[in-house]
Amino acid sequence: MHLHDVWFVLIAVLWTGYFFLEGFDFGIGVLTKLLARNRPERRVLINTIGPVWDGNEVWLLSAAGGTFAAFPDWYATLFSGFYLPLLAVLVCLIVRGVAFEYRAKRPEENWQRNWEAAIFWASLIPAFLWGVIFGNIVYGVKIDRHFEYTGGLADLLNPYALLGGLTTLLLFTFHGAVFAGLKTSGDIRLRARKLGLRMGLPALAVVLGFLLWTQAHSGDAASLVALVVAVAALAAALAVTRAGREGWAFALSGVTVVATVAMLFLSLFPNVMPSTLDSAWSLNVTNAASSPYTLRIMTWCAAIATPVVLLYQGWTYWVFRKRIGTQHIAEAAH
């Protein structure tokens, strides 16, 4: 296996880790409107991700930085051609981070309500747009002989990409619901379980439709295995959610996210951005990669830094592993 193949796998792993962690993170943000009935319950939901949301975004920085260094042509075409949706995601992430920090700075009702609305929208929009972006990456876009994107914003809003956006939105919201059931106590925990069950069947139908479309378009035997794993894990997550096994439900919803992202990258390889104008103009792991020397240096850096990141992030989740409920909010306020 060549180093450019290794780095394609590593970037796929980074995006998978980001969607696994930030997926339930976005889901919790959406649930602040769908699940929480009052301000203490919204505080409970926000506090479930309070210690970890910013650490989860490290995976996005690593994925984008790794793409820039390992596949500069991929990075250039992606971030210039998809400028508007990626800018919208970036603005939402900035607003979301500010909202988490500023929401409790003042006690006025309007102040807190506005920041809570910002958390909701700045979670829902990226959850949808990431599916649109990756749907276009996998399905292919208008790339010319100079490896430049020649389409417009309307070309990115095609039916396959929009279905991908709906897939990530529903899947992340379900992922957040089972995480809320795992991390909360009392009435909100029971309602999170019920909401997860109500959302699970629509999510299963949409995920199945999107992955079948992907398989028909560019899948192979390996991507078919990932499809089966994703759908089976989501169906199993629904079953154990009904049984009240939140830990298993979260693990299985995580497997669904991982298998879904894995299928997208499996169906994409060896391309990194297919061209719908001419397959010879597609960006792939060979023509978009950096020099072998650059990839060797990056491999050594990744081998040293990655275990450190995994250790400190795992330690953070272990320290903040206990459930919280509205009674803890009342005690803190008192």
Side-chain angles (χ1 to χ4, degrees), residues 92-133:
C92 286
L93 294 180
I94 293 171
V95 170
R96 190 166 170 266
V98 172
F100 282 138
E101 299 295 336
Y102 276 44
R103 176 188 165 276
K105 296 297 183 182
R106 291 170 56 178
E108 289 90 343
E109 179 78 14
N110 286 341
W111 174 271
Q112 296 196 5
R113 184 172 60 247
N114 289 338
W115 284 120
E116 288 166 358
I119 291 172
F120 171 76
W121 289 107
S123 299
L124 184 148
I125 293 172
F128 176 77
L129 286 180
W130 279 127
V132 173
I133 290 167

Side-chain angles (χ1 to χ4, degrees), residues 2 10-11 20 44 90 94 165-166 177 181 211 248 251 254 271 276 283 307 310 323 326:
H2 298 286
L10 289 176
I11 288 172
F20 174 85
V44 167
L90 178 60
I94 293 171
L166 186 60
L211 295 186
W248 279 105
N271 291 321
T276 57
L283 286 164
L310 292 175
R323 295 179 182 271
T326 52

Side-chain angles (χ1 to χ4, degrees), residues 301-315:
C301 293
I304 296 170
T306 302
V308 176
V309 173
L310 292 175
L311 283 173
Y312 83 69
Q313 198 158 27
W315 177 79

